[in-house]
Amino acid sequence: MLDINLLRKDLPGVIARLEKRKSPQPFLDVDRFTSLESERKTIQTRTEELQALRNSLSKQIGQLKSKGEDTAPVMAQVGGIGDELKASVERLEVIQAELSNLLMAVPNLPHDSVPAGADENANVEVRRWGTPRELGFEPKDHVDLGAPLGLDFDTGTKLSGSRFSFLRGPVAKLHRALAQFMLDTQTGEHGYTECYTPYIVNREILEGTGQLPKFKDQMFWVYRGEESEGGEAVAAGSEQYLISTSEISLTNTVRESVLAADALPIKLTAHSPCFRSEAGSAGRDTRGMIRQHQFDKVEMVQVVNPETSYDALEEMTRHAEAILQKLGLPYRVVALCTGDLGFGSTKTYDLEVWLPAQKMYREISSCSNCEAFQARRMQARFKNAQGKNELVHTLNGSGLAVGRALVAVLENYQNADGSITIPEVLRPYFGGKELLKA
């Protein structure tokens, strides 16, 4: 959530920065915001006047009592002020709630270093690593390569519908090995603390990281049932959601907290399934594992002092790159433009891995700095050097998307006979085995 004081001080400047995002819809109902702010100021001014008047009258009552004079008229006046004050406080609460609801739908402001542009075509390549391997034969895609190894989309569809997969045998082991390798690297080499988080969270947790209210239609959500006297399950009205990333649960661990300055940075990682009901437009990436309603990811989260958050973003991006480098997978780093930034991000780097069958780079990680956007929603603070409570900055990144890493390994390490050479760093998870065969 944006700082409302920033809008109060420089509304045109905030709107100008938001418009860099190039959304076809306005981010903020300016007329409604201005109207509510005007009413808030009027009521607040009147409230302060009433409080001052009540204090003055209360002193008069004391003076009248000391003189033995009648206080009834003044007390009646104080009673009237109390009624008006109560009404003002109630209206202020309504206005504050409406302002908060307006701001919940407003995205973060792009950092000045983010390249300007309307969509992904304006993203800027920062660097590349590795050279795509010359296979010497026409590459197969991961669907054809994975089928003999246990990658089964038919069973996934039978169990859950389209965009679900079922893994068995060698390909299931490869998926597990990739996740284990990622966790081992992030914890053993990069200083993250491994976590295991709930996969179902409450509504306010998603509000804290910005998935709600804007992206409700892209979430899987349920009502918790409770057992009635008759033994039948009924909705308890407790709205809960399956996480779309463990960023949600990891970041919210500092919700409503005041941290000691020396507790920062906090670096957390977790391997979890991720659930997204809107996994891309129809007709695009519907074949295979690129866009699934359920997929696994090893997530990185950092909670840091605001002074170091952009250094932390560079560090986190390198931590994601390290996984690809150890796996020997060619990739490129791309700085997202203003029109392609995520809702809560001020700056984002995407890592795109080379896929031989598609002959192109495809996203496998996003690393973002959210500055205080999420912290303000969560009320996550720390004691700064002046001893005052200050909002932390939060960052998140994929380290990496496990399913897409599996796709990349299958395609980049395929052999002409359909076998897959196991990347050297993964061989310890296979007892030293060098090849995956049907």
Side-chain angles (χ1 to χ4, degrees):
M1 182 183 294
L2 297 182
D3 183 355
I4 195 169
N5 291 319
L6 187 60
L7 280 82
R8 288 168 178 164
K9 293 175 183 176
D10 185 17
L11 182 58
V14 172
I15 297 302
R17 291 178 67 185
L18 286 172
E19 286 176 346
K20 292 181 179 180
R21 285 178 165 266
K22 307 293 184 184
S23 170
Q25 300 296 325
F27 292 112
L28 176 66
D29 186 337
V30 176
D31 291 341
R32 183 61 179 154
F33 177 82
T34 304
S35 173
L36 287 168
E37 266 296 288
S38 177
E39 185 181 359
R40 180 194 65 80
K41 288 179 183 177
T42 300
I43 293 176
Q44 215 155 32
T45 300
R46 178 58 178 161
T47 298
E48 290 169 1
E49 291 172 351
L50 290 171
Q51 288 171 337
L53 179 57
R54 184 172 63 177
N55 291 339
S56 175
L57 291 173
S58 295
K59 289 180 181 178
Q60 287 185 37
I61 291 171
Q63 292 169 355
L64 290 171
K65 283 183 176 179
S66 67
K67 296 177 183 178
E69 297 179 10
D70 184 13
T71 61
V74 183
M75 291 185 71
Q77 192 176 353
V78 170
I81 291 172
D83 292 339
E84 187 176 351
L85 273 174
K86 181 181 178 183
S88 295
V89 168
E90 290 174 352
R91 178 57 188 160
L92 272 176
E93 288 178 353
V94 171
I95 292 172
Q96 297 287 16
E98 288 195 45
L99 285 170
S100 179
N101 287 337
L102 279 178
L103 289 180
M104 289 290 273
V106 179
N108 210 345
L109 301 178
H111 190 262
D112 290 340
S113 65
V114 173
D119 55 35
E120 60 185 15
N121 294 313
N123 293 343
V124 176
E125 183 176 312
V126 177
R127 57 184 172 271
R128 292 191 181 197
W129 184 91
T131 303
R133 174 186 166 205
E134 291 291 338
L135 295 175
F137 55 90
E138 186 63 26
K140 296 179 180 180
D141 73 2
H142 70 281
V143 177
D144 293 334
L145 290 165
L149 300 173
L151 181 54
D152 183 351
F153 293 101
D154 290 339
T155 299
T157 300
K158 180 171 67 175
L159 294 173
S160 304
S162 63
R163 299 196 189 185
F164 287 91
S165 55
F166 190 96
L167 280 62
R168 57 165 62 88
V171 80
K173 187 169 185 176
L174 177 59
H175 187 270
R176 174 167 57 86
L178 281 164
Q180 186 67 55
F181 163 68
M182 293 172 192
L183 278 177
D184 288 345
T185 302
Q186 301 302 357
T187 56
E189 299 182 20
H190 300 152
Y192 291 83
T193 298
E194 183 175 351
C195 304
Y196 174 80
T197 85
Y199 302 156
I200 299 175
V201 295
N202 299 327
R203 173 189 50 78
E204 60 269 21
I205 300 304
L206 286 152
E207 290 175 344
T209 42
Q211 281 77 17
L212 290 183
K214 186 174 177 62
F215 301 107
K216 182 173 181 176
D217 291 342
Q218 298 181 22
M219 307 293 297
F220 283 99
W221 52 287
V222 296
Y223 283 98
R224 176 186 291 179
E226 65 180 10
E227 195 169 294
S228 67
E229 290 183 3
E232 296 181 358
V234 297
S238 177
E239 189 177 302
Q240 294 188 305
Y241 296 79
L242 295 172
I243 59 172
S244 55
T245 164
S246 59
E247 166 209 340
I248 294 165
S249 40
L250 292 175
T251 306
N252 273 280
T253 57
V254 296
R255 177 184 183 84
E256 298 175 351
S257 298
V258 178
L259 306 165
D262 60 8
L264 302 177
I266 295 172
K267 299 166 67 174
L268 307 175
T269 188
H271 166 223
S272 77
C274 306
F275 305 90
R276 299 185 185 179
S277 67
E278 184 54 47
S281 58
R284 184 184 178 191
D285 296 332
T286 54
R287 174 178 167 85
M289 295 184 70
I290 296 297
R291 289 190 183 272
Q292 298 263 282
H293 290 312
Q294 176 185 318
F295 59 96
D296 279 38
K297 188 149 63 90
V298 171
E299 187 72 3
M300 302 175 290
V301 160
Q302 291 200 28
V303 180
V304 304
N305 187 306
E307 295 178 358
T308 63
S309 67
Y310 282 94
D311 290 336
L313 176 61
E314 300 298 327
E315 177 190 63
M316 179 177 283
T317 304
R318 291 195 298 270
H319 293 163
E321 289 183 75
I323 302 296
L324 291 170
Q325 291 176 13
K326 288 174 181 292
L327 289 170
L329 297 172
Y331 69 89
R332 66 177 190 164
V333 179
V334 175
L336 299 195
C337 70
T338 52
D340 200 27
L341 278 181
F343 180 76
S345 174
T346 60
K347 185 173 183 177
T348 295
Y349 292 115
D350 271 7
L351 273 60
E352 298 178 351
V353 68
W354 176 255
L355 296 184
Q358 296 189 20
K359 296 181 173 62
M360 64 187 299
Y361 290 94
R362 296 303 304 269
E363 179 197 338
I364 194 168
S365 172
S366 281
C367 297
S368 300
N369 187 356
C370 298
E371 291 191 0
F373 187 82
Q374 294 176 327
R376 188 169 287 107
R377 289 169 171 244
M378 299 184 300
Q379 281 300 291
R381 297 150 293 169
F382 75 105
K383 287 284 184 186
N384 63 21
Q386 292 72 43
K388 296 181 179 180
N389 291 347
E390 183 179 348
L391 293 169
V392 298
H393 279 192
T394 61
L395 302 95
N396 62 80
S398 309
L400 305 162
V402 181
R404 292 195 180 191
L406 183 142
V407 168
V409 167
L410 290 177
E411 293 196 9
N412 282 278
Y413 282 93
Q414 62 180 293
N415 301 308
D417 63 358
S419 65
I420 307 297
T421 299
I422 300 172
E424 189 171 345
V425 291
L426 296 183
R427 291 175 190 173
Y429 301 95
F430 287 85
K433 189 175 179 181
E434 297 183 3
L435 284 178
L436 284 185
K437 296 181 179 180

